[in-house]
Amino acid sequence: MLSICLLVFGIGTFAFLTLRREQMQLINSARESSELLLNTIERSLYNSMRIGNTEDVKVILEMVGQSENLVGVRIFHPHGVILKSSNPNEVGRVVDERDYKLFLDNKREGVFTLDGHGEVLGMVKPIYNDRQCNLCHGSKSRIIGLLNVNYSLTETRNRIVELTKLFVMSTVAIIGFLSLAISLVMLKFVKKPLNQLAKNMARVEAGDLSVRMTPEGKDEIGRLIVSFDSMVDRLDRAKKELENFHFQQMERADRLASVGEMAAGIAHEIKNPLTGIAAAITVLKDDFAPEDGRVQIIGEVLEQISRLDKTVNDLLFFGKPTVAEPTCTDINAALKKILIFASQHRGGKNIEKRLELAENLPTVYVDPKQIQQVFLNLFLNAVQAMQSGGTLTVKSGLAKVDGIDMVQVRVTDTGQGIPPQILEKIFTPFFTTKAQGTGLGLAISHRLIEQHGGRLSVVSQDGMGTTFTVELPAYCPGQPGYCGPDAPEASAA
């Protein structure tokens, strides 16, 4: 529609300007004809008046006045009295005021309407008093008369009207033809393909990736259709790959679930006998004297049974975690208490411990036992990473993450660090680099922090040490977990 409007405007403007130019040419043609006739009459009259033959002047005016385009030809005095005329009846009368006004305004021509003749072009040309005219007219007056011609513009106006009609009809016909042609072209080559493309895009959006289109040309629409088919092809391939990957993941998840259920069942069956074995060996140990060498062997057995018990407990917790019992917890007090437990580890005696705890931290709404499990696991991992000694730094503070106040705890060791190829796998269940590890400690810690609405992340440089960062939401009034005046008393885990 916009293109048709622009077409109408452009053609209409061009036709209007062309019509105006043709009209001006017709008017100029009439003016040139009148001026040529006026000059011819002037020369003829001059030759006759030079020899004093006034009768010839009258004949010339009457003969010229017979032209159908001339309304009147006359000579009038500068005072306005008609001296000679093609119409003898007007001799001695006063010339028409509009013709006389042309002389007074020092104009050569003018267009006005005469009764009975319509629109005429009036032209006035002075007849100057030359030396040869002095014999009859004397030398006092510079202008002895004014030659006046009234040229009828009726025929010119009729031609202008006909030309205008022709231009209007031809312009309307051209605009109608071009509008129809453009509409058909736009409908066939633009609107129809675009509508079909829109329908096919809707089908693709609904999930039907079997849609294909055939381009009918090599224009922009054709290239758009080719691009659309290419896009749908890639989407179809991506969907199939994703479905295949999802099917594989579901199969793997199903197998893992089956293995997990079986492992949990086996762990549950192992746990009870382990407890009985540990109790029986402890009784046997009491029957031996302290200096007996078998006491040391029995102690090693008990230690291995304890390790197996921890593995079974981790496996049971990962397979079926306990329900959290959150309460308002003072994170600084919890960190101090947990660090004391970690210091009892046999490898922790050569480790320097640093506590950099921010004061007046808000409490967090967490399960104290589960948070103790998380930080104890992080502290023990840090101690085990510094077998030759080092520094364990525990730093707490308040940070704003995505506009939310978070209590942040950083656990940093000065061990060998974690290689980049291993770093991205440390939170994967059953992944471990320790000879006696289960690979569940960090996976359980990561799950517990996420269950509390927090985040556990790690940064490590190989050979430079590792930093684990725990972020837990601070209290928020009006929300679950708000530790305000009416909340439970804060726990130190």
Side-chain angles (χ1 to χ4, degrees), residues 284-302:
L284 291 176
K285 180 181 178 182
D286 293 339
D287 292 339
F288 295 106
E291 64 274 5
D292 194 329
R294 288 173 291 184
V295 174
Q296 183 178 358
I297 296 174
I298 292 175
E300 289 292 335
V301 173
L302 288 174

Side-chain angles (χ1 to χ4, degrees), residues 209 233-250:
L209 297 180
D233 282 337
R234 291 196 297 270
L235 285 175
D236 193 23
R237 289 196 299 269
K239 181 183 178 182
K240 291 179 179 178
E241 292 175 359
L242 185 60
E243 288 176 348
N244 186 35
F245 178 76
H246 180 68
F247 178 74
Q248 294 176 358
Q249 290 294 103
M250 291 298 293

Side-chain angles (χ1 to χ4, degrees), residues 304-334:
Q304 294 302 319
I305 291 174
S306 176
R307 189 176 69 82
L308 286 173
D309 185 65
K310 180 180 182 305
T311 301
V312 170
N313 286 332
D314 286 347
L315 188 59
L316 288 172
F317 182 86
F318 186 77
K320 188 177 181 180
T322 59
V323 179
E325 298 178 358
T327 183
C328 289
T329 302
D330 184 349
I331 198 69
N332 285 342

Side-chain angles (χ1 to χ4, degrees), residues 96-157:
D96 188 280
E97 60 180 1
R98 285 164 290 190
D99 288 320
Y100 190 62
K101 193 172 187 301
L102 292 177
F103 166 66
L104 296 179
D105 294 339
N106 197 25
K107 292 182 178 180
R108 291 287 306 274
E109 61 186 47
V111 178
F112 47 87
T113 302
L114 287 179
D115 295 337
H117 300 285
E119 195 174 24
V120 297
L121 172 65
M123 301 190 74
V124 175
K125 188 170 186 179
I127 301 175
Y128 294 100
N129 189 6
D130 293 339
R131 290 182 179 178
Q132 297 176 357
C133 300
N134 291 342
L135 296 174
C136 298
H137 299 281
S139 60
K140 294 183 179 180
S141 299
R142 182 170 176 269
I143 298 176
I144 58 177
L146 292 109
L147 180 60
N148 174 222
V149 174
N150 291 135
Y151 188 90
S152 175
L153 295 177
T154 302
E155 182 180 353
T156 302
R157 291 301 179 188

